[in-house]
């Protein structure tokens, strides 16, 4: 009886022993994925905070945040209301002299001309007395942020190497003069499309630019309208640079202002260190943007802004 019982016991135990081996493998695998049993892994460190989010805590947090930023918002609102801003849209201005001819039409018929707009009268209030004002120009629907346009420039050339090439072929057809085969300096579409409108600000109400003005024009300060790092590190003249050397060609669309009766140093620069040029080369991130043209100090009263309109507007095209 004992022998039979032992055999039966063996028969019952052997299958269980095989299953126990499979379970041990699974337990060993589970132990491999189990986090270590210490305070860091089990999140039992004393400085730890187990945040329990409740409605009361959330509402309290929002109220405290609102009270913190409320005075900051009020201060910014007060500061913004004190800003004096006067916009002049001269896109459809009339040609100076009492004519009813649009300047942009005159430029379309003769792209090499500069049209003088009728003067815009600006009234400077008393509240800005003694404060420095900034004169800015702005463009709308001009996509300086277009990838092909933005890459159409030679950064090495702007650092002082006239013969430097563009990183890509995007500078074409503004890389080399097809007639003389000289390199354009500066090259690329950004430099070629330099903003060429200029401005004069005069005291008094005189829309006709030909009228005699006994008082001098207002000084437009352009000595500090760019970042210092740009002037000192990013836009540099080549060694012994001579703008009249003839070793290079000016950009394609600059030639109508280079030399002769049309030459005006205020329209196109004769060096890449020109601060109007630097501002233009720092392309804008949005299609509607403004760029600093000058800083001015004005006494309260009437002034007349005269615009020398020369930029060619191209409708529904990328220029």
């Amino acid at each position: 009886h004992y022998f039979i019982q032992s055999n039966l016991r063996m028969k019952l135990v052997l299958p269980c022993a095989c299953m126990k081996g499979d379970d041990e493998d699974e337990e060993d695998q589970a132990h491999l994925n189990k986090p270590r049993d210490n305070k860091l892994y089990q999140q039992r460190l004393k400085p730890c905070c187990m945040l329990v989010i409740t409605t009361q805590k959330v509402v309290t947090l929002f109220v405290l945040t609102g009270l913190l930023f409320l005075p900051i918002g009020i201060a910014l609102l007060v500061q913004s209301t004190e800003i004096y801003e006067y916009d002049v849209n001269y896109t459809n201005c009339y040609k100076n002299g009492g004519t009813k001819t649009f300047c942009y039409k005159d430029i379309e018929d003769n792209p090499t001309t500069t049209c003088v707009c009728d003067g815009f009268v600006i009234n400077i209030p008393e509240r800005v007395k003694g404060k420095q004002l900034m004169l800015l120009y702005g463009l709308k629907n001009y996509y300086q942020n277009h990838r092909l346009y933005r890459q159409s420039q030679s950064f090495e050339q702007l650092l002082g190497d006239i013969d430097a090439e563009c990183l890509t072929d995007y500078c074409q057809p503004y890389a080399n003069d097809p007639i003389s085969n000289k390199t354009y300096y500066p090259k690329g579409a950004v430099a070629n499309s330099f903003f060429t409108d200029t401005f004069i600000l005069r005291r008094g109400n005189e829309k006709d630019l030909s009228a005699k003005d006994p008082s001098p024009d207002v000084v437009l300060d352009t000595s500090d309208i760019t970042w210092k790092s740009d002037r000192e590190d990013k836009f540099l003249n080549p060694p012994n640079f001579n703008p009249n050397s003839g070793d290079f060609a000016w950009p394609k669309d600059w030639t109508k202002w280079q030399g002769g009766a049309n030459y005006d140093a205020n329209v196109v620069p004769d060096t890449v260190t020109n601060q109007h040029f630097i501002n233009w080369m720092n392309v804008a991130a949005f299609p509607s943007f403004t760029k600093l043209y000058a800083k001015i100090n004005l006494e309260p009263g009437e002034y007349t802004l005269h615009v020398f309109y020369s930029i060619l507007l191209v409708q529904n095209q990328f220029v």
Side-chain angles (χ1 to χ4, degrees):
H1 179 73
Y2 177 79
F3 178 76
I4 295 175
Q5 186 178 6
S6 298
N7 286 340
L8 290 175
R9 185 179 299 170
M10 291 293 294
K11 290 181 180 180
L12 292 174
V13 169
L14 285 177
C16 293
C18 295
M19 293 177 63
K20 183 178 180 180
D22 295 338
D23 292 341
E24 288 179 351
D25 292 339
E26 292 179 0
E27 290 179 2
D28 293 340
Q29 185 65 29
H31 288 165
L32 292 176
N33 299 327
K34 183 179 179 180
R36 299 175 185 176
D37 188 14
N38 55 46
K39 293 182 178 181
L40 176 63
Y41 281 83
Q42 299 300 327
Q43 301 182 12
R44 295 194 301 266
L45 293 176
K46 291 183 179 180
C48 290
C49 177
M50 302 297 291
L51 180 62
V52 178
I53 298 178
T54 63
T55 304
Q56 182 179 2
K57 291 181 179 180
V58 172
V59 172
T60 304
L61 179 62
F62 273 94
V63 171
L64 293 177
T65 305
L67 293 176
L68 174 64
F69 285 98
L70 181 61
I72 298 176
I74 294 175
L76 293 176
L77 180 61
V78 172
Q79 290 291 329
S80 63
T81 54
E82 293 180 355
I83 296 176
Y84 172 76
E85 184 175 355
Y86 190 91
D87 292 332
V88 174
N89 188 342
Y90 64 88
T91 304
N92 299 318
C93 70
Y94 288 116
K95 189 175 181 179
N96 185 252
T99 65
K100 293 298 181 180
T101 303
F102 291 111
C103 267
Y104 76 89
K105 287 289 186 181
D106 193 39
I107 297 174
E108 285 180 355
D109 298 335
N110 185 9
T112 62
T113 190
T114 296
C115 181
V116 182
C117 295
D118 273 338
F120 298 92
V121 178
I122 302 174
N123 190 8
I124 303 298
E126 286 284 345
R127 64 187 179 92
V128 299
K129 183 178 180 179
K131 297 181 179 179
Q132 189 178 63
L133 302 178
M134 293 184 293
L135 178 63
L136 303 98
Y137 65 87
L139 295 174
K140 292 184 178 180
N141 297 326
Y142 192 99
Y143 290 83
Q144 272 201 323
N145 58 349
H146 193 286
R147 181 177 62 87
L148 301 181
Y149 179 88
R150 179 172 51 83
Q151 293 183 347
S152 183
Q153 56 181 305
S154 174
F155 298 101
E156 292 184 5
Q157 192 184 48
L158 297 176
L159 289 173
D161 185 2
I162 293 181
D163 298 323
E165 297 294 334
C166 295
L167 296 178
T168 62
D169 295 332
Y170 297 143
C171 283
Q172 299 295 342
Y174 307 110
N176 299 286
D177 185 1
I179 299 177
S180 64
N181 202 31
K182 295 180 180 179
T183 183
Y184 283 132
Y185 178 71
K187 62 178 61 177
V190 183
N192 184 75
S193 59
F194 175 72
F195 184 81
T196 53
D197 291 358
T198 56
F199 310 95
I200 289 179
L201 192 62
R202 288 185 170 180
R203 295 181 178 89
N205 185 346
E206 293 183 358
K207 290 188 176 182
D208 189 357
L209 187 61
S210 61
K212 297 296 183 181
D213 185 5
S215 61
D217 298 337
V218 175
V219 176
L220 303 180
D221 184 10
T222 61
S223 61
D224 187 22
I225 59 174
T226 58
W227 292 102
K228 183 180 179 181
S229 58
D230 287 346
R231 298 193 299 267
E232 296 181 353
D233 301 324
K234 293 178 61 178
F235 295 85
L236 306 175
N237 282 327
N240 303 319
F241 175 70
N242 181 6
N244 301 316
S245 64
D247 297 333
F248 58 89
W250 292 107
K252 179 180 178 181
D253 289 343
W254 289 19
T255 54
K256 59 183 179 181
W257 290 289
Q258 297 292 339
N262 290 330
Y263 178 76
D264 187 351
N266 294 322
V267 176
V268 290
D270 57 359
T271 170
V272 297
T273 59
N274 180 283
Q275 297 201 41
H276 289 151
F277 176 77
I278 294 176
N279 276 340
W280 180 257
M281 294 299 292
N282 288 324
V283 295
F286 301 99
S288 298
F289 58 87
T290 59
K291 291 181 181 287
L292 181 59
Y293 186 84
K295 296 179 180 179
I296 50 180
N297 292 288
L298 300 177
E299 294 295 326
E302 282 191 338
Y303 295 84
T304 304
L305 177 67
H306 297 281
V307 180
F308 292 78
Y309 200 156
S310 58
I311 189 170
L312 179 62
L313 298 180
V314 181
Q315 300 294 332
N316 300 324
Q317 291 189 22
F318 171 72
V319 296

